[in-house]
Amino acid sequence: MSHVLIHDPTLRDGHHAVRHQLEAAQLRSYAAAADAAGIPVVEVGHGNGLGASSLQVGRARLSDDEMLSVVREALTHSRMGVFMLPGWGRAQDLDKAIAHGVDVVRIGTHCTEADLAERHLGHLSERGVEAHGVLLMSHMAGPDELAEQCARLVEFGARGVGILDSSGHFLPADVTARVAAIRAAVDVPVMFHGHNNLGMAVANSVAAVEAGAEIIDACARGFGAGAGNTQLEVVVPVLERLGHTTGIDLYRLLDATDFAGRELMKAPPSIDSVGVVSGLSGVFSGFKTRVLEISGREGIDPRDVFFELGRRQAVAGQEDLIVDVVAALRSAARDQERHA
């Protein structure tokens, strides 16, 4: 069996669930607890990554500098990670993260647009920082396409590559096929990041490891967008029971996730009807809050909104499309009423 590196984005992806409003004390305390548990990488930042705090996707309570400074001070053993999407973040944002002592930087792109990461991966390589390239909305591409895109990320300087099941759409067989194809195409560690819309995040993470993934993302209590992410306190003991080592102290892990459940979130993410539809339609879980807000105001069924967004292949960063979809559905409903 293998050693699996656990990457914990609780303090980044979890931000989606609380409108990016975590306070410094919350960041500091969870980071310290994760560090004590021996979690290898603790990721921090706005839900959409470096430079993303904005009116479009939400203003964070703290600046990137504040978040990085607080978490860096709290970590004595764990490495600090950050995430950036080209277009939201810039080279200047990467330089700020480097100045704060970041250890691992992930550059994310849409699953068929790895070329957008070239400049940033090169920038990080020149500065000697461990950089990974990750592909979002990976259900929108098949195994061969994802493998080709990951191979390009390696050419650009990525020292790790992988896929995000951004909408929680995958079943284990989907993950197995994609991770196996990527594993065969690259000679760097492969990662998998799951969302739990269909209740498959842990099973999908196990499938990824069995197909050759060496890095698994997981959040305390599944803290993350929509229906949440792979549950950290579940996937670690499951992997250990299967014979894969993680190096994480179980009791201290449970202490850290208990703290997160009490102090970071009002309630753990749950798989509600909208979450299921988000997964089925293949729409990013982070759209949930905005879809409910806008559809509720206009009297439109949010499930219809998600399926239409899926038909239009909406991706993260296109939250403005929600307004257009709701308007179109409302207009269609009025037309039906007039002809009834």
Side-chain angles (χ1 to χ4, degrees):
M1 291 298 180
S2 63
H3 178 77
V4 179
L5 182 75
I6 299 296
H7 190 117
D8 178 1
T10 297
L11 299 180
R12 195 275 301 169
D13 208 330
H15 251 139
H16 285 296
V18 291
R19 296 177 180 264
H20 319 285
Q21 296 301 299
L22 292 177
E23 299 177 352
Q26 293 172 302
L27 297 178
R28 182 182 299 108
S29 296
Y30 180 77
D35 186 83
I39 294 172
V41 182
V42 177
E43 188 175 278
V44 62
H46 184 282
N48 291 70
L50 294 175
S53 181
S54 63
L55 290 175
Q56 183 177 356
V57 293
R59 292 277 190 193
R61 178 184 294 272
L62 303 176
S63 68
D64 288 344
D65 282 326
E66 290 171 312
M67 288 189 271
L68 291 167
S69 178
V70 165
V71 171
R72 178 72 281 167
E73 291 175 1
L75 299 179
T76 58
H77 303 289
S78 301
R79 296 193 292 165
M80 183 169 73
V82 296
F83 175 78
M84 194 189 86
L85 294 167
W88 288 116
R90 302 172 296 171
Q92 297 95 308
D93 298 303
L94 294 176
D95 289 338
K96 286 183 180 180
I98 293 170
H100 282 286
V102 70
D103 298 295
V104 183
V105 179
R106 284 179 170 175
I107 304 298
T109 72
H110 184 62
C111 61
T112 58
E113 298 176 352
D115 288 353
L116 295 179
E118 180 175 8
R119 184 167 70 89
H120 297 299
L121 289 172
H123 183 84
L124 292 164
S125 295
E126 289 172 1
R127 285 154 180 77
V129 177
E130 183 175 341
H132 296 181
V134 297
L135 303 175
L136 283 66
M137 303 297 286
S138 56
H139 69 281
M140 291 185 172
D144 291 342
E145 174 69 9
L146 292 173
E148 180 181 335
Q149 294 289 322
C150 283
R152 293 186 66 79
L153 291 170
V154 174
E155 291 175 7
F156 301 150
R159 290 160 61 183
V161 296
I163 56 174
L164 282 70
D165 182 16
S166 309
S167 63
H169 185 72
F170 283 149
L171 300 177
D174 303 319
V175 177
T176 297
R178 285 161 174 79
V179 170
I182 296 167
R183 177 71 281 160
V186 302
D187 57 1
V188 299
V190 176
M191 63 77 67
F192 176 74
H193 173 110
H195 279 251
N196 204 37
N197 296 67
L198 302 180
M200 303 302 295
V202 170
N204 285 341
S205 297
V206 170
V209 170
E210 292 180 341
E214 297 159 85
I215 304 172
I216 292 296
D217 281 12
C219 294
R221 293 288 192 274
F223 193 37
N229 297 62
T230 304
Q231 301 99 310
L232 179 62
E233 67 279 5
V234 177
V235 76
V236 167
V238 167
L239 289 172
E240 294 275 358
R241 184 174 175 185
L242 289 169
H244 303 284
T245 62
T246 65
I248 294 173
D249 183 288
L250 177 61
Y251 280 16
R252 289 186 174 180
L253 168 65
L254 295 175
D255 290 343
T257 57
D258 284 346
F259 170 84
R262 291 192 310 269
E263 304 295 337
L264 301 187
M265 59 196 86
K266 292 182 179 179
S270 61
I271 307 173
D272 58 17
S273 59
V274 173
V276 171
V277 172
S278 173
L280 290 173
S281 61
V283 176
F284 172 50
S285 301
F287 278 46
K288 177 181 178 180
T289 300
R290 289 284 288 158
V291 167
L292 290 176
E293 180 182 292
I294 297 170
S295 62
R297 187 171 64 231
E298 301 297 333
I300 298 297
D301 191 326
R303 296 170 295 188
D304 292 338
V305 177
F306 268 108
F307 279 120
E308 179 60 20
L309 287 168
R311 191 186 68 78
R312 298 189 188 194
Q313 296 193 316
V315 299
Q318 292 182 314
E319 283 81 358
D320 287 349
L321 189 58
I322 298 169
V323 176
D324 296 337
V325 166
V326 170
L329 291 173
R330 184 181 57 193
S331 177
R334 287 174 176 171
D335 288 343
Q336 287 182 340
E337 290 172 0
R338 282 197 296 268
H339 291 90

